[in-house]
Amino acid sequence: MVHDASGPAGINWALDHSQETGGLVILNTFFHLTPSLSAPEAISIFADLLEFRTARQVEPTQPWSFARLSQAIADDSRMFRWLYFWQVGSFFRDKAVREEFLPVLYEQFDENSSTIPAFVKLNKNLGDSIRANSQRAPELVGFDGPVRIIFGASDPYLNAELAQDFHRILPTSDLFLLPTARHYVQMDEPERVAHLILTTRTR
């Protein structure tokens, strides 16, 4: 099962070990570059993804970058916390679930050995990762293991169109769009998602 940033790693592993993969469950995630792929604002800043959403009219003499801004945010714990709570808070549909789990998710960044540097490095490589995975996208057509795609259809970023893109390119997949669920589909609709995972076919 893959979700969010674990999607590329998990899908690449499945492609490399097709016969060892019993099945693949894909929750709101991404892999390759498609017209429907839209990164959250915070990820766009940290990953410098501006060029993925804009067409250059002239070739710049110097590359434009969010690097200084993203590093300033990472270096200021209050600013990083505000951005995290604003961005990730929007990934939940229900206020009660958001208030319970958002502080728990943030704990990894609030400890002495903070994961913020790892988060920054992960996102710096995101553009290159998407480009590399786009070269592998044709291999998805040949993946013959069972695939179940479960997306929160109200996620404005890793959205229903992206789920349909996965469904079109993965020939053995079935698709479930949960209409009111957002990015954390497994938290917005836990019983429904659990049932769909447990009933997924395996080899």
Side-chain angles (χ1 to χ4, degrees), residues 14 40 56 59 64 66 103 126 136-137 149 162 182:
R56 288 180 175 176
E59 190 66 26
W64 198 92
F66 279 122
L126 186 57
R136 300 201 71 181
I149 302 164
L162 185 57
R182 296 185 186 177

Side-chain angles (χ1 to χ4, degrees), residues 126-163:
L126 186 57
D128 290 339
S129 171
I130 293 172
R131 291 186 189 93
N133 292 336
S134 296
Q135 298 297 313
R136 300 201 71 181
E139 298 178 46
L140 295 173
V141 178
F143 184 77
D144 61 357
V147 179
R148 175 154 289 178
I149 302 164
I150 311 165
F151 264 50
S154 292
D155 184 344
Y157 307 107
L158 305 181
N159 49 56
E161 289 183 29
L162 185 57

